[in-house]
């Protein structure tokens, strides 16, 4: 490792682990080789093995830091006067964790009242590791003046704010409400939520400018992470465990999150407005009317966080039977022996730390932190900017950045599908693309409301019923050589994908994304008929961007062509190489087979050998080699023995499979077995970008596919 940053908290409740992992993510997005170490384990409350920070960094970032020393052992070493020996162990753990990295992030210990030895340990660790010190602080209950003093006092432990190694602070939870209401806000009205958002934005600006500790030149405000209530939203299962509640109906108890709590002591009509996505309903167990109202909301598509029936009272079997269909939607129902008031009070005392097994929440927290930190300045200080690699976070960051720059208009024919609506809202919030939802406006707004999605005014909604007539004649003109008549065109335009594709063909939008509820054939067929292939392409193929632990690579073709011949396989290789290059991946193309080089024979391997020859002849500017077995293409040690003279073997970034059976099986095996994120399929060879989704696509998958489509559209415009 070349450089070490030691991250130390100014007190409890600052979110030290979240900031450390977010900092790792921010540096990875720059292409920096970054590692993480937690030299001394510090367990709190019910925490048990594995140590929380090292577990989360492994689960989210794929890093494998060395096992930390237990805090009790460190205490014992200090008591025996063995500080030097302890520091030797700390250095060994840090060096082992940071091997091969440009920057090592070391997480210190959280200060605990009346335990001054923790401050001593933090100071000794930073000194032993010759690390720059970054503080993490949060206002919590402090005034601005108290926060300023707390930062200065903690900095003084390491030499003060003017010391060359004490470089700055990251402020977390900026704009958070008072601690008593941080966890949940019962029955919060929309204007109250707006006030929280306004206060949050104002606080970031004020803290950056007002705190005296940041007004010198040497001690910097490295980041200000805004408070976001969604990032502290626990899962319903976490609530159940906190209350010691019994589970009547589990439903989606591990997936749903508590964004607000409504305590129902009023009559049913007076609480209906609180039944929104993410609401946890807390009500006495004998209020059957509230349970049935919640069930009706669930049946109408509102994903409530759950219902807690208090006082140890369970509904009659007849009531449960009446609500059975609602339970089948995934609605969690719990019972608590506490009364309603005590249950609500107890919920507000929940720890806001991310549980060790809540990986999706930690991912969201890391992204929020990463976007709020000046990682470029830290990388420049460590003199590693420019030593770029396209790690998975770097690839995702590049995709979002490039899509923003492209500023394209993308149509989503499945406009009333909840995941699609959510993805469109995210794309507008992040500036990824201008999304056009195709569907009935009233239905789209209803779905958005039930899912608690705020649709930005900039999102465009087109009603197919009103838009359809203007595309009948243009479609007849496009397909008259196939005998298409006006009535036939009108019937085909009933399909929103066909209608969206016509808009794309007429240059009214820049790209199309579909497939959340439709098959690949339903998405691709209209594109082939109306958009058609590029002049230099004889076929449409696909690639997946596979985000392996160390780098992003390309797999093609895993979705479209069942058994391409040698000429088609060569074209797929060229298309895939060009796609890789367009997205920042240096193309080194491996033509995959069951044999490497000249060692095998048979029609299948001969096809790959011939495809390699054709591709090299057509595009001598691309690095292409084959046939190569997968291990020879991916693993340097295997490549050294099987293909020692190859410039591709052992370092391939584009893998071209001989047929759909091999490609689709391989991508799914790698994706599921290695827990690898795959983005795609992205279609290649069309005049305009049309991209297909998996019907099991997550919202994040849709967002990235929209981004890919926007980038493709920009490249086609400029080519």
């Amino acid at each position: 490792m070349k450089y070490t940053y030691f991250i130390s908290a100014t007190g409890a409740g600052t979110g030290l682990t979240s900031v450390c992992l977010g900092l790792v993510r921010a540096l990875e997005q720059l292409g920096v080789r970054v590692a993480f170490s937690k030299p001394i384990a510090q367990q709190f409350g019910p925490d048990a093995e594995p140590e929380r920070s090292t577990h989360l960094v492994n689960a989210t970032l794929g890093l494998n830091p060395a096992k930390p020393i237990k805090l009790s052992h460190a205490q014992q070493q200090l008591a025996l006067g063995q500080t030097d020996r302890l520091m030797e162990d700390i250095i060994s753990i840090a060096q082992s964790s940071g091997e091969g990295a440009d920057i090592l992030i070391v997480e210190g210990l959280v200060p605990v009242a009346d335990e001054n030895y923790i401050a001593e340990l933090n100071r000794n660790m930073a000194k032993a590791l010759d690390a720059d010190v970054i503080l993490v602080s949060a206002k919590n209950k402090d005034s601005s003046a108290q926060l300023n003093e707390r930062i200065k006092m903690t900095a003084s432990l390491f030499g003060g704010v003017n010391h060359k190694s004490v470089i700055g602070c990251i402020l977390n939870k900026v704009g958070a409400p008072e601690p008593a209401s941080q966890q949940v806000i019962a029955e919060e009205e929309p204007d109250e939520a707006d006030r929280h958002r306004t206060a949050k934005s104002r606080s970031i600006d004020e803290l950056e400018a007002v705190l005296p500790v940041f007004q010198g030149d040497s001690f910097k405000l490295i980041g200000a992470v805004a408070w976001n209530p969604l990032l502290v939203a626990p899962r319903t299962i976490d609530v159940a465990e906190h209350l010691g509640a019994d589970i009547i109906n589990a439903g989606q108890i591990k997936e749903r999150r508590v964004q607000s709590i409504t305590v129902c002591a009023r009559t049913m009509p007076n609480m209906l407005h609180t039944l929104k996505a993410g609401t946890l309903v807390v009500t006495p167990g004998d209020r059957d009317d509230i349970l049935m109202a919640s069930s009706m909301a669930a049946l109408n598509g509102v994903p409530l966080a759950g219902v807690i029936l208090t006082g140890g009272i369970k509904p009659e079997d007849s009531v449960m039977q009446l609500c059975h269909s609602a339970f089948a939607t995934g609605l969690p129902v719990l019972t608590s022996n506490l009364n309603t008031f005590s249950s609500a009070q107890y919920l507000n005392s929940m720890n806001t730390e991310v549980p060790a097994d809540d990986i999706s929440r930690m991912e969201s927290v890391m992204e929020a932190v990463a976007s709020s930190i000046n990682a470029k300045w830290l990388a420049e200080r460590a003199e590693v900017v420019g030593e770029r690699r396209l790690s998975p976070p770097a690839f995702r960051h590049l995709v979002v950045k490039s899509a923003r720059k492209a500023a394209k208009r993308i149509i989503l024919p499945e406009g009333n599908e909840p995941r699609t609506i959510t993805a469109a809202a995210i794309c507008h919030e992040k500036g990824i693309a201008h999304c056009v939802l195709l569907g009935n406006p009233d239905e789209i707004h209803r779905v958005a409301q039930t899912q608690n999605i705020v649709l930005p005014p900039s999102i465009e909604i087109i009603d197919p019923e009103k838009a359809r007539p203007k595309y009948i004649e243009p479609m007849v003109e496009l397909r008259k050589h196939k005998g298409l008549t006006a009535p036939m065109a009108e019937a085909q335009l009933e399909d929103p994908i066909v209608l969206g594709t016509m808009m794309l063909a007429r240059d009214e939008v820049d790209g199309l994304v579909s497939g959340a509820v439709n098959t690949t054939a339903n998405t691709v067929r209209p594109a082939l008929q109306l958009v058609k292939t590029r002049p230099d392409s004889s076929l449409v193929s696909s690639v997946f961007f596979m985000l392996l632990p160390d780098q992003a690579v390309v797999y093609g073709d895993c979705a479209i062509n069942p058994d391409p011949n040698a000429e088609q396989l060569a074209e797929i290789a060229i298309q895939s190489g060009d796609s890789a290059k367009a997205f920042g991946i240096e193309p080194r193309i491996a033509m995959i087979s069951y044999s490497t080089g000249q060692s095998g024979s048979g029609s299948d391997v001969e096809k790959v050998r011939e495809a390699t020859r054709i591709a090299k002849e057509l595009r001598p500017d691309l690095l292409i080699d084959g046939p190569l077995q997968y291990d020879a293409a991916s693993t340097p040690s295997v490549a050294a023995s099987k293909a020692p003279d190859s410039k591709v073997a052992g370092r391939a970034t584009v893998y071209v499979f001989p047929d759909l059976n091999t490609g689709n099986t391989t991508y799914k095996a790698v994706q599921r077995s290695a827990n690898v994120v795959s983005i795609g399929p992205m279609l290649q060879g069309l005049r305009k970008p049309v991209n297909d989704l998996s019907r099991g696509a997550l919202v994040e998958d849709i967002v990235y596919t929209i981004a890919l489509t926007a980038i493709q559209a920009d490249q086609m415009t400029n080519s």
Side-chain angles (χ1 to χ4, degrees):
M1 64 191 177
K2 297 179 180 179
Y3 214 89
T4 302
Y5 288 115
F6 184 85
I7 319 299
S8 183
T10 62
T14 61
L16 177 64
T17 297
S18 297
V19 170
C20 286
L21 270 62
L23 181 53
V24 174
R25 170 59 55 82
L27 290 165
E28 279 206 328
Q29 288 175 346
L30 296 177
V32 174
R33 287 182 169 84
V34 59
F36 173 86
S37 179
K38 173 81 171 179
I40 301 177
Q42 188 177 23
Q43 310 285 62
F44 290 100
D47 284 356
E49 294 289 348
E51 193 277 323
R52 181 168 165 270
S53 298
T54 51
H55 169 76
L56 284 169
V57 82
N58 176 260
T60 56
L61 295 162
L63 302 178
N64 292 292
K67 186 177 180 180
I69 296 168
K70 289 185 177 180
L71 182 58
S72 57
H73 174 73
Q75 285 178 279
Q76 186 180 38
Q77 293 288 86
L78 287 177
L80 293 173
Q82 299 292 334
T83 302
D84 289 345
R85 182 177 295 177
L86 176 62
M87 290 304 113
E88 288 175 13
D89 292 339
I90 298 295
I91 292 170
S92 176
I93 289 169
Q95 288 182 342
S96 176
S97 301
E99 189 174 349
D102 296 319
I103 293 177
L104 174 66
I105 302 299
V106 178
E107 180 182 333
L109 298 167
V110 176
V112 178
D114 302 323
E115 294 190 6
N116 294 331
Y117 72 92
I118 287 181
E120 182 184 348
L121 275 173
N122 280 335
R123 180 173 60 249
N124 288 337
M125 282 193 286
K127 185 177 180 180
L129 295 170
D130 192 25
D132 279 352
V133 176
I134 300 172
L135 304 184
V136 176
S137 194
K139 195 167 183 284
N140 294 329
K141 296 181 180 180
D142 291 341
S143 66
S144 294
Q146 289 171 326
L147 173 64
N148 192 76
E149 285 304 308
R150 184 181 292 275
I151 294 170
K152 286 179 65 177
M153 285 178 60
T154 306
S156 69
L157 297 172
F158 302 95
V161 293
N162 293 317
H163 193 280
K164 64 177 182 178
S165 295
V166 183
I167 63 171
C169 181
I170 297 169
L171 294 180
N172 195 17
K173 305 180 183 179
V174 175
E178 291 301 313
S181 60
Q182 277 186 8
Q183 181 61 32
V184 283
I185 301 170
E187 304 184 23
E188 183 181 79
E189 301 295 338
D191 60 337
E192 184 68 17
D194 290 340
R195 281 196 292 273
H196 282 313
R197 282 191 286 271
T198 302
K200 173 187 72 176
S201 301
R202 186 170 61 246
S203 296
I204 293 173
D205 295 335
E206 288 175 354
L207 285 171
E208 217 168 355
V210 170
L211 291 178
V213 72
F214 296 121
Q215 292 177 2
D217 295 328
S218 58
F219 190 77
K220 297 183 178 296
L221 177 59
I222 298 169
V225 185
W227 168 261
N228 181 348
L230 296 180
L231 299 180
V232 295
R235 299 165 300 182
T236 310
I237 185 66
D238 301 324
V239 169
E241 291 172 355
H242 180 69
L243 286 178
D246 294 327
I247 299 172
I248 294 180
N249 185 64
Q252 296 172 337
I253 195 169
K254 293 183 179 179
E255 290 81 35
R256 298 201 180 184
R257 295 190 179 276
V258 180
Q259 298 176 29
S260 63
I261 291 176
T262 180
V263 180
C264 297
R266 295 175 288 178
T267 59
M268 184 181 67
N270 289 323
M271 53 74 61
L272 290 178
H273 69 283
T274 68
L275 298 181
K276 301 175 182 177
T279 297
L280 180 67
V281 179
V282 181
T283 187
D286 57 1
R287 290 291 301 273
D288 294 340
D289 57 332
I290 301 299
L291 176 60
M292 286 189 281
S294 300
S295 297
M296 286 296 295
L299 288 171
N300 276 293
V302 180
L304 297 172
V307 178
I308 297 179
L309 304 171
T310 64
I313 303 171
K314 295 183 179 180
E316 297 290 336
D317 289 344
S318 57
V319 175
M320 295 294 290
Q321 188 60 38
L322 191 61
C323 299
H324 177 74
S325 295
F327 296 167
T329 66
L331 176 67
V333 182
L334 317 172
T335 60
S336 169
N337 289 324
L338 299 172
N339 63 37
T340 305
F341 180 75
S342 297
S343 295
Q345 270 196 323
Y346 203 49
L347 284 172
N348 271 325
S349 69
M350 280 189 71
N351 189 339
T352 59
E353 283 190 340
V354 182
D357 64 340
D358 195 350
I359 305 306
S360 63
R361 180 174 155 199
M362 179 50 78
E363 285 279 1
S364 298
V365 170
M366 287 163 52
E367 287 297 327
V369 173
S371 66
S372 307
I373 289 176
N374 189 352
K376 186 178 179 182
W377 181 78
L378 293 173
E380 287 172 346
R381 183 179 177 87
E383 298 181 347
V384 294
V385 167
E387 298 183 17
R388 183 181 177 83
R389 68 188 179 102
L390 205 63
S391 65
F395 177 77
R396 289 194 293 263
H397 184 68
L398 175 66
V399 166
V400 171
K401 183 179 177 181
S402 300
R404 284 175 182 153
K405 186 178 179 181
K408 294 300 181 180
R409 190 166 180 250
I410 307 301
I411 192 158
L412 309 172
E414 298 161 326
N416 60 356
E417 198 278 322
R419 291 166 295 166
T420 302
I421 296 173
T422 306
I426 291 171
C427 285
H428 277 247
E429 180 186 346
K430 295 185 175 181
I432 291 171
H434 178 88
C435 294
V436 181
L437 295 171
L438 191 56
N440 181 279
D442 293 337
E443 174 67 10
I444 289 171
H445 283 292
R446 187 194 69 78
V447 173
Q449 187 175 18
T450 59
Q451 299 290 321
N452 210 17
I453 303 166
V454 178
L455 285 178
S458 55
I459 284 185
E460 188 177 351
I461 299 174
I462 294 179
D463 188 341
E465 296 297 327
K466 295 179 180 178
R468 190 175 297 119
K470 67 178 278 193
Y471 295 100
I472 295 173
E473 278 191 34
M475 187 168 173
V476 170
E477 182 64 26
L478 271 175
R479 301 284 292 163
K480 64 183 180 182
H481 64 289
K482 293 291 186 180
L484 188 73
T485 63
M488 293 166 63
E490 185 175 8
Q492 289 183 27
L493 286 166
E494 293 283 342
D495 183 342
I497 297 177
V498 175
L499 180 57
T501 307
M502 272 301 301
M503 294 178 182
L504 179 62
R506 288 171 58 80
D507 295 326
E508 295 174 9
V509 292
D510 300 304
L512 179 148
V513 173
S514 182
V517 292
N518 285 279
T519 65
T520 297
N522 285 346
T523 298
V524 176
R525 188 184 304 110
L528 290 172
Q529 294 172 345
L530 303 171
V531 174
K532 303 179 181 177
T533 57
R534 295 173 57 169
D536 59 348
S537 297
S538 64
L539 54 75
V540 173
S541 66
S542 72
V543 289
F544 282 90
F545 294 93
M546 306 294 290
L547 307 189
L548 304 179
D550 292 327
Q551 64 174 337
V553 299
V554 171
Y555 281 9
D557 170 17
C558 304
I560 302 294
N561 296 283
D563 188 18
N565 58 34
E567 290 77 13
Q568 291 170 329
L569 193 60
E571 186 170 347
I572 291 169
I574 292 168
Q575 289 178 344
S576 302
D578 285 342
S579 291
K581 192 172 184 179
F583 285 87
I585 299 172
E586 185 63 32
R588 294 186 290 272
I589 305 166
M591 308 294 284
I592 301 299
S593 180
Y594 59 77
S595 172
T596 294
Q598 302 298 320
S599 64
S601 60
S603 59
D604 289 339
V605 74
E606 288 300 330
K607 178 181 81 170
V608 175
R609 192 171 285 126
E610 177 64 8
T612 304
R613 184 193 67 77
I614 295 170
K616 284 181 173 181
E617 188 175 288
L618 291 173
R619 289 292 298 276
D621 59 306
L622 290 174
L623 272 180
I624 306 172
D625 198 6
L628 290 170
Q629 291 163 287
Y630 191 96
D631 58 351
S634 62
T635 310
S637 59
V638 177
S641 61
K642 290 190 174 183
D645 299 324
S646 174
K647 294 181 180 179
V648 173
R651 51 200 295 266
T653 56
V654 180
Y655 297 77
V656 179
F657 297 99
D659 52 54
L660 186 59
N661 183 48
T662 306
N664 193 270
T665 302
T666 303
Y667 113 76
K668 286 185 175 176
V670 171
Q671 180 190 38
R672 300 301 179 187
S673 301
N675 196 27
V676 164
V677 174
S678 65
I679 299 175
M682 186 184 84
L683 302 186
Q684 309 171 129
L686 289 166
R687 288 177 184 265
K688 299 178 185 294
V690 173
N691 282 314
D692 181 42
L693 298 165
S694 163
R695 276 167 282 177
L698 303 175
V699 170
E700 184 182 36
D701 300 329
I702 301 173
V703 169
Y704 279 114
T705 303
I706 291 170
L708 291 178
T709 307
I711 296 167
Q712 276 186 297
D714 190 52
Q715 291 161 353
M716 290 177 182
T717 301
N718 296 324
S719 61

